[in-house]
Amino acid sequence: MAYSIRPYRSEDAVYLDELSRKAIRISAPRAYSQDQVAAWLQNYPDVTNFDTKLTLGGACFVAVDAEGKRLGYVLLERGGHIDRLFTNPEDERRGVAQQLLAAAEHFARPHKWERLFAEASEPARAAFERAGYHIVARRNFEIGGIPMHNWAMEKRL
């Protein structure tokens, strides 16, 4: 499958929101209970913060195929925090997440950020590990009273 990585465009927002929610609905049940998935979806932020994060010095990169279908994206905040990394469930295991993380790294280096870091969900953990991130700690928390966990991960640049 041929695809390319390009910068985010405002018209991507609705599609990326749908892609995120689809990934949570389909991929998250492999590692989280139905109650956990429902809590995550109910409290997932809407698309209104994409443009705000970008105006604060962040970046967003989108993977698209030859027909323009959005395959995934990475949303990077100033300072190196990876706020979101999602791929379309139908396009998993095709290197999309790896290329998105490489784009984030390529963006971070000239900004002299010392590291990239994220709170990776259980399904995303392997993609981060394949890209050279290591686990800092398991994070246990609650969403709406439902116990959850994810992984604090980082990569030194």
Side-chain angles (χ1 to χ4, degrees):
M1 170 185 68
Y3 62 88
S4 61
I5 307 295
R6 65 160 171 78
Y8 166 86
R9 300 175 188 151
S10 291
E11 63 267 19
D12 292 327
V14 172
Y15 296 101
L16 300 184
D17 184 62
E18 290 171 6
L19 187 150
S20 302
R21 293 174 191 281
K22 180 179 181 181
I24 293 168
R25 280 192 317 274
I26 294 172
S27 300
R30 294 182 210 143
Y32 298 111
S33 72
Q34 287 300 321
D35 287 343
Q36 290 171 316
V37 172
W40 188 357
L41 283 167
Q42 184 176 2
N43 290 284
Y44 191 75
D46 66 20
V47 298
T48 58
N49 70 354
F50 273 74
D51 291 317
T52 302
K53 287 180 185 280
L54 298 177
T55 60
L56 296 174
C60 184
F61 299 99
V62 181
V64 294
D65 68 12
E67 288 79 42
K69 176 186 171 194
R70 292 147 182 99
L71 309 177
Y73 73 100
V74 62
L75 179 60
L76 182 63
E77 295 176 319
R78 184 178 67 194
H81 180 245
I82 297 174
D83 185 54
R84 298 181 197 172
L85 173 67
F86 283 103
T87 58
N88 190 328
E90 291 102 31
D91 300 303
E92 288 179 350
R93 303 241 180 246
R94 295 184 179 170
V96 174
Q98 303 308 300
Q99 293 302 314
L100 290 166
L101 289 171
E105 190 172 329
H106 183 74
F107 180 84
R109 287 189 185 281
H111 288 87
K112 307 239 185 283
W113 296 345
E114 295 180 9
R115 68 184 181 128
L116 291 176
F117 60 100
E119 296 79 34
S121 68
E122 194 66 50
R125 176 181 163 183
F128 279 97
E129 288 176 328
R130 282 191 299 275
Y133 288 72
H134 70 273
I135 294 172
V136 175
R138 178 183 162 124
R139 297 179 63 249
N140 296 306
F141 57 96
E142 291 185 0
I143 299 177
I146 305 294
M148 292 285 292
H149 77 277
N150 61 21
W151 300 94
M153 300 185 79
E154 74 174 16
K155 181 177 185 177
R156 293 279 172 194
L157 301 178

